[in-house]
Amino acid sequence: MLRAWSSADVRAAEAPLLAAGEPLMDRAAFALHVEVVRLLRAHRRERRVHGARVVVLAGGGANGGDALHAGALLARRGAAVTAVLAGERAHAGGLAAARAAGVRVLGDVAVGDAVVGDAVGPDDEGDEPGPLVCDALAGADLVLDGLVGIGSDGSGLRGLARALVAAVPTGTGGGHRPVVVAVDVPSGSGVDDGRVAGDVLRADVTVTFGAPKPGLLLPPASGLAGQVVPVDIGLTLPAGGVAVGRLEGADVAALWPVPGATSQKYARGVLGVVCGTTRYPGAGVLATSAAVLAGVGMVRFVDERDERDERDERDERDERDEREDPAAPPRPAGPLATAVLAARPEVVVAGAVGDGRVQAWAAGSGVDPADPARRRDVAAVVAAARDGVPAVLDAGALDLVTEGLGAHVVLTPHAGELARWLADRGERVGGVPVDRDAVEAEPWRWARRAHDLSGATVLLKGATTLVVGAGGSTWSQADGPAWLATAGSGDVLAGVVGALLAGRAEDVVADPALAARLAAAAALVHGRAAHHATPGGPVSALAVAHALPAVVADLLAQDGAPAVRDCPA
Ligand SMILES: NC(=O)C1=CN([C@@H]2O[C@H](COP(=O)(O)OP(=O)(O)OC[C@H]3O[C@@H](n4cnc5c(N)ncnc54)[C@H](OP(=O)(O)O)[C@@H]3O)[C@@H](O)[C@H]2O)[C@@H](O)CC1
Ligand SMILES: Nc1ncnc2c1ncn2[C@@H]1O[C@H](COP(=O)(O)OP(=O)(O)O)[C@@H](O)[C@H]1O
Ligand SMILES: [K+]
């Protein structure tokens, strides 16, 4: 499990060690330079550090200090290092180390009595990089982004720092692009909330100290961090203070409901499904297939009834009452259930919500809000969920969700659906109703808001899927390829979430916080199934469902014990 702590927790953990004179910055810089050495060896044709051209972008705080110290270590190993000072001051120790190691320093900042360099800013403001800086960036093998770390307020870089980021070659059109290593965090990104305001240099690797920060796991900032490499600098972080977590394979294996030798299908969990309509049966097929293939004990699929069916049933019941005959004859499957049975013959068809017991529900995928009969079934599921039955509510069930649900209920909107749900409840940003762009700019904020308003666990789908559960506990999963953005893949996810809720229903009722971990586990398996179905290529939703058994088997075949990859390790 990867866990992120807030910058406040990291600072609090640093404070006593700094007071005791522990060389935290030396540890950070040493680990940073080791990672840069690895990258240079991997990326340079010459496979060595000697002669590599490295540019250090250094802000005026300790983040710049880390970068300058690492630059000094690289220079001592023969790299040609140029440091560009972006602040009105520079980290004195880092600058001294860099100069002593032969780093070329460009910048206009005053350090002590001396003015260092003259390479920045042909204009009066000094916030345009000069030609020496641009040349260094154009020829760099690797750029270290040490402009600002956890000292940033996330409102966007300013001044020369912003201009330097804009001057780093992006490689568009096949041009040269240096490897970019972010120091602690990509400079200027929202360290604690994942916001991105203004330009942030996209990193290939972020070397982060003490613990990952939430912004490295939270979109949109997480999309700019590249590979996150946590470095242990000896901090002790508060055990209960994790701001955001990310499950890994072993954690999911430990959560997965696995039958024992004496298990039977009912005890393993029955999932009731109200997904799809006669007009759009696909969602019924996909959600049901996914639940079966994720290993649920049994699926009870609630068939769609139109008004004529309901009239016939009423007449038939009245006739039975007259005959005093209590036994209802089995109802033939309608067109929707027939389509589902054709794909999954093991499914049991029910005539209505409440016909037969279930441990959990999956409802709403592929249900059109304008379809009154199906919506009544969905509403019955929402009522059951309100009464305490674990449930996953998707798409066409979301607008029936109001406040006061518990965290045993998992909502699975995408950004557009979440925005609509919030806007319908009067949520506004900048004076206008919340829209998809607002949710995509601050997905954590709005997923938490939806959790606060509904009481439910909220799984917000996207390239990175966020889950906010009881007490605001947050999981961030980025396990699937972009090919997973294909019609019907959300229906598959609903089926997987449902299978897990059914398989662990008793545990979820006892501890609703578990629902968020199960939902995150479902997202991981869903993403991996897409990779597994067609490695590197396009994937259909049904193929994702069909890959589930193999992915689950792979996970379970690994050591089932959760590997807590904590930081410090
Ligand atoms: N203490 C230690 O031993 C250890 C610390 N560690 C490291 O310290 C980092 C935290 O250092 P920190 O607290 O000095 O803050 P930091 O992130 O450098 O930012 C302050 C500087 O940024 C500037 N700046 C701010 N906003 C800006 C903007 N929008 N646009 C442009 N500039 C902006 C601000 O400028 P000013 O506002 O002063 O003009 C100031 O110069 C942490 O992330 C980790 O890397 C690790 O090595 C572990 C050991
Ligand atoms: N760029 C992406 N990379 C990886 N996964 C994605 C990406 N975009 C969307 N997804 C995933 O694809 C699924 C799409 O679900 P959804 O939007 O409900 O589609 P549908 O309604 O067609 O089933 C979600 O699980 C989401 O997390
Ligand atoms: K940085």
Side-chain angles (χ1 to χ4, degrees):
M1 187 185 302
L2 198 60
R3 308 177 192 207
W5 274 266
S6 71
S7 55
D9 278 341
V10 171
R11 281 199 195 280
E14 276 175 2
L17 301 183
L18 290 172
E22 297 254 359
L24 300 188
M25 188 174 283
D26 291 346
R27 288 178 198 157
F30 187 82
L32 178 59
H33 116 279
V34 168
E35 182 60 21
V36 171
V37 166
R38 186 188 72 77
L39 287 165
L40 288 172
R41 288 190 176 140
H43 286 270
R44 291 191 76 216
R45 214 175 325 119
E46 300 85 345
R47 303 274 169 235
R48 60 193 189 130
V49 181
H50 193 91
R53 289 156 303 173
V54 174
V55 173
V56 173
L57 304 179
N63 193 250
D66 292 340
L68 288 166
H69 277 292
L73 293 167
L74 293 164
R76 292 195 184 281
R77 294 182 74 146
V81 182
T82 300
V84 183
L85 306 180
E88 284 165 12
R89 55 199 171 86
H91 187 273
L95 185 58
R99 298 180 84 185
V103 171
R104 179 172 69 143
V105 179
L106 303 176
D108 286 346
V109 302
V111 177
D113 293 336
V115 171
V116 184
D118 59 355
V120 178
D123 64 346
D124 294 343
E125 301 279 310
D127 59 5
E128 285 296 324
L132 289 179
V133 174
C134 291
D135 285 352
L137 285 171
D141 295 304
L142 187 142
V143 171
L144 266 182
D145 169 12
L147 291 166
V148 51
I150 61 176
S152 155
D153 67 1
S155 63
L157 294 174
R158 45 171 202 266
L160 180 59
R162 187 174 57 192
L164 285 171
V165 161
V168 176
T170 58
T172 44
H176 168 74
R177 176 185 178 271
V179 175
V180 174
V181 177
V183 180
D184 207 18
V185 296
S187 295
S189 60
V191 177
D192 287 322
D193 59 13
R195 268 187 313 150
V196 175
D199 288 345
V200 172
L201 191 54
R202 179 185 297 278
D204 299 286
V205 173
T206 297
V207 180
T208 190
F209 309 121
K213 317 302 178 293
L216 299 179
L217 300 186
L218 293 170
S222 57
L224 299 168
Q227 184 198 350
V228 175
V229 177
V231 168
D232 180 1
I233 56 168
L235 309 188
T236 304
L237 288 145
V242 176
V244 183
R246 176 166 291 174
L247 297 182
E248 295 176 312
D251 309 302
V252 175
L255 284 167
W256 209 265
V258 177
T262 57
S263 299
Q264 40 98 336
K265 65 187 177 196
Y266 296 112
R268 287 187 49 215
V270 179
L271 177 69
V273 175
V274 181
C275 295
T277 58
T278 302
R279 222 168 136 211
Y280 303 110
V285 172
L286 291 168
T288 303
S289 298
V292 170
L293 295 168
V296 76
M298 184 175 130
V299 169
R300 243 184 242 292
F301 185 80
V302 178
D303 202 0
E304 183 178 25
R305 296 173 305 161
D306 61 20
E307 282 169 15
R308 202 184 51 206
D309 292 332
E310 288 174 4
R311 213 172 38 241
D312 291 350
E313 279 168 30
R314 244 190 337 264
D315 293 349
E316 192 265 336
R317 208 167 37 239
D318 292 346
E319 283 173 26
R320 271 191 292 120
D321 285 350
E322 278 173 24
R323 296 197 309 267
E324 295 183 353
D325 171 7
R331 205 169 72 87
L336 174 61
T338 301
V340 170
L341 283 169
R344 300 262 45 112
E346 56 277 304
V347 163
V348 171
V349 175
V353 172
D355 285 359
R357 288 193 55 204
V358 301
Q359 275 66 53
W361 285 104
S365 312
V367 175
D368 187 342
D371 182 335
R374 201 60 172 154
R375 288 272 285 182
R376 274 200 294 280
D377 292 332
V378 173
V381 170
V382 175
R386 193 172 292 285
D387 286 344
V389 182
V392 49
L393 303 178
D394 189 33
L398 294 171
D399 66 314
L400 295 172
V401 168
T402 50
E403 72 289 346
L405 288 171
H408 64 286
V409 182
V410 180
L411 313 181
T412 54
H414 55 57
E417 289 167 336
L418 185 65
R420 210 171 314 127
W421 190 87
L422 289 161
D424 286 349
R425 276 144 197 87
E427 293 296 312
R428 300 168 80 80
V429 59
V432 297
V434 174
D435 61 10
R436 175 187 270 272
D437 288 347
V439 169
E440 284 176 347
E442 296 180 278
W444 194 30
R445 169 182 173 184
W446 293 114
R448 281 188 298 178
R449 183 69 186 138
H451 165 71
D452 290 344
L453 289 170
S454 67
T457 295
V458 176
L459 180 154
L460 173 56
K461 292 180 280 199
T464 297
T465 289
L466 289 185
V467 185
V468 178
S473 65
T474 301
W475 304 95
S476 155
Q477 297 300 138
D479 306 286
W483 294 109
L484 190 51
T486 184
S489 81
D491 309 337
V492 172
L493 179 67
V496 181
V497 175
L500 288 178
L501 292 177
R504 300 214 44 194
E506 268 183 35
D507 300 327
V508 170
V509 170
D511 173 18
L514 176 61
R517 265 177 292 151
L518 294 176
L524 179 144
V525 167
H526 181 242
R528 287 199 184 183
H531 278 299
H532 191 281
T534 329
V539 70
S540 74
L542 196 56
V544 174
H546 285 155
L548 289 167
V551 168
V552 173
D554 280 354
L555 286 170
L556 297 177
Q558 293 158 18
D559 181 5
V564 177
R565 179 147 65 76
D566 232 342
C567 191

PDB file of all heavy atoms in Angstrom, residues 516-538:
ATOM      1  N   ALA A 516     -15.150   1.379   1.214  1.00  0.00           N
ATOM      2  CA  ALA A 516     -14.235   2.190   0.387  1.00  0.00           C
ATOM      3  C   ALA A 516     -13.051   1.354  -0.059  1.00  0.00           C
ATOM      4  O   ALA A 516     -12.607   1.442  -1.218  1.00  0.00           O
ATOM      5  CB  ALA A 516     -13.762   3.414   1.177  1.00  0.00           C
ATOM      6  N   ARG A 517     -12.530   0.525   0.849  1.00  0.00           N
ATOM      7  CA  ARG A 517     -11.391  -0.322   0.458  1.00  0.00           C
ATOM      8  C   ARG A 517     -11.814  -1.344  -0.594  1.00  0.00           C
ATOM      9  O   ARG A 517     -11.072  -1.624  -1.531  1.00  0.00           O
ATOM     10  CB  ARG A 517     -10.806  -1.019   1.692  1.00  0.00           C
ATOM     11  CG  ARG A 517      -9.624  -0.242   2.269  1.00  0.00           C
ATOM     12  CD  ARG A 517      -9.092  -0.890   3.517  1.00  0.00           C
ATOM     13  NE  ARG A 517     -10.069  -0.791   4.596  1.00  0.00           N
ATOM     14  CZ  ARG A 517     -10.196  -1.650   5.592  1.00  0.00           C
ATOM     15  NH1 ARG A 517      -9.412  -2.713   5.643  1.00  0.00           N
ATOM     16  NH2 ARG A 517     -11.089  -1.473   6.541  1.00  0.00           N
ATOM     17  N   LEU A 518     -13.023  -1.875  -0.432  1.00  0.00           N
ATOM     18  CA  LEU A 518     -13.501  -2.845  -1.430  1.00  0.00           C
ATOM     19  C   LEU A 518     -13.710  -2.162  -2.784  1.00  0.00           C
ATOM     20  O   LEU A 518     -13.386  -2.732  -3.838  1.00  0.00           O
ATOM     21  CB  LEU A 518     -14.802  -3.494  -0.952  1.00  0.00           C
ATOM     22  CG  LEU A 518     -14.672  -4.385   0.292  1.00  0.00           C
ATOM     23  CD1 LEU A 518     -16.044  -4.884   0.737  1.00  0.00           C
ATOM     24  CD2 LEU A 518     -13.745  -5.582   0.031  1.00  0.00           C
ATOM     25  N   ALA A 519     -14.240  -0.963  -2.752  1.00  0.00           N
ATOM     26  CA  ALA A 519     -14.450  -0.240  -4.014  1.00  0.00           C
ATOM     27  C   ALA A 519     -13.107   0.053  -4.684  1.00  0.00           C
ATOM     28  O   ALA A 519     -12.961  -0.077  -5.915  1.00  0.00           O
ATOM     29  CB  ALA A 519     -15.217   1.055  -3.747  1.00  0.00           C
ATOM     30  N   ALA A 520     -12.115   0.430  -3.887  1.00  0.00           N
ATOM     31  CA  ALA A 520     -10.778   0.677  -4.447  1.00  0.00           C
ATOM     32  C   ALA A 520     -10.186  -0.618  -5.002  1.00  0.00           C
ATOM     33  O   ALA A 520      -9.540  -0.632  -6.058  1.00  0.00           O
ATOM     34  CB  ALA A 520      -9.864   1.276  -3.379  1.00  0.00           C
ATOM     35  N   ALA A 521     -10.426  -1.719  -4.287  1.00  0.00           N
ATOM     36  CA  ALA A 521      -9.929  -3.011  -4.769  1.00  0.00           C
ATOM     37  C   ALA A 521     -10.579  -3.371  -6.099  1.00  0.00           C
ATOM     38  O   ALA A 521      -9.923  -3.884  -7.018  1.00  0.00           O
ATOM     39  CB  ALA A 521     -10.225  -4.101  -3.732  1.00  0.00           C
ATOM     40  N   ALA A 522     -11.878  -3.074  -6.212  1.00  0.00           N
ATOM     41  CA  ALA A 522     -12.582  -3.345  -7.469  1.00  0.00           C
ATOM     42  C   ALA A 522     -11.969  -2.521  -8.601  1.00  0.00           C
ATOM     43  O   ALA A 522     -11.774  -3.018  -9.718  1.00  0.00           O
ATOM     44  CB  ALA A 522     -14.067  -3.025  -7.311  1.00  0.00           C
ATOM     45  N   ALA A 523     -11.647  -1.265  -8.313  1.00  0.00           N
ATOM     46  CA  ALA A 523     -11.048  -0.406  -9.348  1.00  0.00           C
ATOM     47  C   ALA A 523      -9.695  -0.969  -9.788  1.00  0.00           C
ATOM     48  O   ALA A 523      -9.369  -0.963 -10.984  1.00  0.00           O
ATOM     49  CB  ALA A 523     -10.902   1.020  -8.821  1.00  0.00           C
ATOM     50  N   LEU A 524      -8.914  -1.458  -8.835  1.00  0.00           N
ATOM     51  CA  LEU A 524      -7.609  -2.031  -9.199  1.00  0.00           C
ATOM     52  C   LEU A 524      -7.799  -3.251 -10.105  1.00  0.00           C
ATOM     53  O   LEU A 524      -7.158  -3.359 -11.168  1.00  0.00           O
ATOM     54  CB  LEU A 524      -6.826  -2.412  -7.942  1.00  0.00           C
ATOM     55  CG  LEU A 524      -5.456  -3.053  -8.192  1.00  0.00           C
ATOM     56  CD1 LEU A 524      -4.427  -2.616  -7.142  1.00  0.00           C
ATOM     57  CD2 LEU A 524      -5.495  -4.584  -8.237  1.00  0.00           C
ATOM     58  N   VAL A 525      -8.687  -4.137  -9.727  1.00  0.00           N
ATOM     59  CA  VAL A 525      -8.881  -5.370 -10.508  1.00  0.00           C
ATOM     60  C   VAL A 525      -9.459  -5.039 -11.890  1.00  0.00           C
ATOM     61  O   VAL A 525      -9.053  -5.602 -12.911  1.00  0.00           O
ATOM     62  CB  VAL A 525      -9.781  -6.343  -9.724  1.00  0.00           C
ATOM     63  CG1 VAL A 525     -10.279  -7.470 -10.594  1.00  0.00           C
ATOM     64  CG2 VAL A 525      -9.003  -6.898  -8.537  1.00  0.00           C
ATOM     65  N   HIS A 526     -10.376  -4.100 -11.926  1.00  0.00           N
ATOM     66  CA  HIS A 526     -10.978  -3.641 -13.186  1.00  0.00           C
ATOM     67  C   HIS A 526      -9.887  -3.098 -14.120  1.00  0.00           C
ATOM     68  O   HIS A 526      -9.815  -3.459 -15.299  1.00  0.00           O
ATOM     69  CB  HIS A 526     -11.990  -2.551 -12.804  1.00  0.00           C
ATOM     70  CG  HIS A 526     -12.761  -1.951 -13.925  1.00  0.00           C
ATOM     71  ND1 HIS A 526     -12.673  -0.621 -14.243  1.00  0.00           N
ATOM     72  CD2 HIS A 526     -13.665  -2.473 -14.785  1.00  0.00           C
ATOM     73  CE1 HIS A 526     -13.490  -0.343 -15.245  1.00  0.00           C
ATOM     74  NE2 HIS A 526     -14.102  -1.462 -15.595  1.00  0.00           N
ATOM     75  N   GLY A 527      -9.013  -2.262 -13.577  1.00  0.00           N
ATOM     76  CA  GLY A 527      -7.928  -1.702 -14.397  1.00  0.00           C
ATOM     77  C   GLY A 527      -6.974  -2.780 -14.878  1.00  0.00           C
ATOM     78  O   GLY A 527      -6.582  -2.818 -16.054  1.00  0.00           O
ATOM     79  N   ARG A 528      -6.620  -3.676 -13.972  1.00  0.00           N
ATOM     80  CA  ARG A 528      -5.683  -4.739 -14.373  1.00  0.00           C
ATOM     81  C   ARG A 528      -6.321  -5.678 -15.395  1.00  0.00           C
ATOM     82  O   ARG A 528      -5.638  -6.224 -16.263  1.00  0.00           O
ATOM     83  CB  ARG A 528      -5.223  -5.534 -13.153  1.00  0.00           C
ATOM     84  CG  ARG A 528      -4.264  -4.745 -12.304  1.00  0.00           C
ATOM     85  CD  ARG A 528      -3.485  -5.655 -11.391  1.00  0.00           C
ATOM     86  NE  ARG A 528      -2.644  -4.845 -10.515  1.00  0.00           N
ATOM     87  CZ  ARG A 528      -1.806  -5.345  -9.634  1.00  0.00           C
ATOM     88  NH1 ARG A 528      -1.691  -6.658  -9.490  1.00  0.00           N
ATOM     89  NH2 ARG A 528      -1.082  -4.547  -8.872  1.00  0.00           N
ATOM     90  N   ALA A 529      -7.624  -5.870 -15.280  1.00  0.00           N
ATOM     91  CA  ALA A 529      -8.303  -6.747 -16.240  1.00  0.00           C
ATOM     92  C   ALA A 529      -8.221  -6.148 -17.645  1.00  0.00           C
ATOM     93  O   ALA A 529      -8.082  -6.877 -18.634  1.00  0.00           O
ATOM     94  CB  ALA A 529      -9.749  -6.975 -15.824  1.00  0.00           C
ATOM     95  N   ALA A 530      -8.287  -4.828 -17.722  1.00  0.00           N
ATOM     96  CA  ALA A 530      -8.168  -4.189 -19.044  1.00  0.00           C
ATOM     97  C   ALA A 530      -6.771  -4.407 -19.613  1.00  0.00           C
ATOM     98  O   ALA A 530      -6.610  -4.701 -20.802  1.00  0.00           O
ATOM     99  CB  ALA A 530      -8.479  -2.700 -18.926  1.00  0.00           C
ATOM    100  N   HIS A 531      -5.755  -4.277 -18.770  1.00  0.00           N
ATOM    101  CA  HIS A 531      -4.379  -4.547 -19.242  1.00  0.00           C
ATOM    102  C   HIS A 531      -4.264  -5.996 -19.687  1.00  0.00           C
ATOM    103  O   HIS A 531      -3.648  -6.303 -20.702  1.00  0.00           O
ATOM    104  CB  HIS A 531      -3.374  -4.320 -18.105  1.00  0.00           C
ATOM    105  CG  HIS A 531      -3.006  -2.888 -17.916  1.00  0.00           C
ATOM    106  ND1 HIS A 531      -2.396  -2.123 -18.875  1.00  0.00           N
ATOM    107  CD2 HIS A 531      -3.152  -2.066 -16.838  1.00  0.00           C
ATOM    108  CE1 HIS A 531      -2.176  -0.903 -18.419  1.00  0.00           C
ATOM    109  NE2 HIS A 531      -2.635  -0.841 -17.185  1.00  0.00           N
ATOM    110  N   HIS A 532      -4.858  -6.869 -18.895  1.00  0.00           N
ATOM    111  CA  HIS A 532      -4.718  -8.294 -19.145  1.00  0.00           C
ATOM    112  C   HIS A 532      -5.437  -8.705 -20.427  1.00  0.00           C
ATOM    113  O   HIS A 532      -4.954  -9.540 -21.194  1.00  0.00           O
ATOM    114  CB  HIS A 532      -5.298  -9.057 -17.952  1.00  0.00           C
ATOM    115  CG  HIS A 532      -4.995 -10.517 -17.939  1.00  0.00           C
ATOM    116  ND1 HIS A 532      -5.686 -11.423 -18.707  1.00  0.00           N
ATOM    117  CD2 HIS A 532      -4.067 -11.236 -17.271  1.00  0.00           C
ATOM    118  CE1 HIS A 532      -5.199 -12.630 -18.512  1.00  0.00           C
ATOM    119  NE2 HIS A 532      -4.212 -12.540 -17.645  1.00  0.00           N
ATOM    120  N   ALA A 533      -6.594  -8.072 -20.680  1.00  0.00           N
ATOM    121  CA  ALA A 533      -7.420  -8.476 -21.820  1.00  0.00           C
ATOM    122  C   ALA A 533      -6.683  -8.247 -23.137  1.00  0.00           C
ATOM    123  O   ALA A 533      -6.669  -9.118 -24.008  1.00  0.00           O
ATOM    124  CB  ALA A 533      -8.737  -7.707 -21.805  1.00  0.00           C
ATOM    125  N   THR A 534      -6.097  -7.090 -23.287  1.00  0.00           N
ATOM    126  CA  THR A 534      -5.379  -6.776 -24.526  1.00  0.00           C
ATOM    127  C   THR A 534      -4.168  -5.932 -24.169  1.00  0.00           C
ATOM    128  O   THR A 534      -4.238  -4.713 -24.239  1.00  0.00           O
ATOM    129  CB  THR A 534      -6.265  -5.948 -25.492  1.00  0.00           C
ATOM    130  OG1 THR A 534      -7.616  -6.287 -25.312  1.00  0.00           O
ATOM    131  CG2 THR A 534      -5.836  -6.133 -26.930  1.00  0.00           C
ATOM    132  N   PRO A 535      -3.063  -6.540 -23.784  1.00  0.00           N
ATOM    133  CA  PRO A 535      -1.925  -5.719 -23.367  1.00  0.00           C
ATOM    134  C   PRO A 535      -1.541  -4.713 -24.447  1.00  0.00           C
ATOM    135  O   PRO A 535      -1.269  -5.098 -25.583  1.00  0.00           O
ATOM    136  CB  PRO A 535      -0.818  -6.748 -23.140  1.00  0.00           C
ATOM    137  CG  PRO A 535      -1.523  -8.052 -22.950  1.00  0.00           C
ATOM    138  CD  PRO A 535      -2.788  -7.975 -23.755  1.00  0.00           C
ATOM    139  N   GLY A 536      -1.618  -3.443 -24.098  1.00  0.00           N
ATOM    140  CA  GLY A 536      -1.180  -2.387 -25.016  1.00  0.00           C
ATOM    141  C   GLY A 536      -2.158  -2.040 -26.109  1.00  0.00           C
ATOM    142  O   GLY A 536      -1.868  -1.175 -26.933  1.00  0.00           O
ATOM    143  N   GLY A 537      -3.317  -2.665 -26.146  1.00  0.00           N
ATOM    144  CA  GLY A 537      -4.215  -2.392 -27.267  1.00  0.00           C
ATOM    145  C   GLY A 537      -5.635  -2.117 -26.842  1.00  0.00           C
ATOM    146  O   GLY A 537      -5.956  -2.095 -25.652  1.00  0.00           O
ATOM    147  N   PRO A 538      -6.534  -1.890 -27.834  1.00  0.00           N
ATOM    148  CA  PRO A 538      -7.928  -1.593 -27.521  1.00  0.00           C
ATOM    149  C   PRO A 538      -8.595  -2.739 -26.787  1.00  0.00           C
ATOM    150  O   PRO A 538      -8.219  -3.895 -26.973  1.00  0.00           O
ATOM    151  CB  PRO A 538      -8.577  -1.407 -28.901  1.00  0.00           C
ATOM    152  CG  PRO A 538      -7.505  -1.421 -29.891  1.00  0.00           C
ATOM    153  CD  PRO A 538      -6.274  -1.977 -29.273  1.00  0.00           C
TER     154      PRO A 538
END
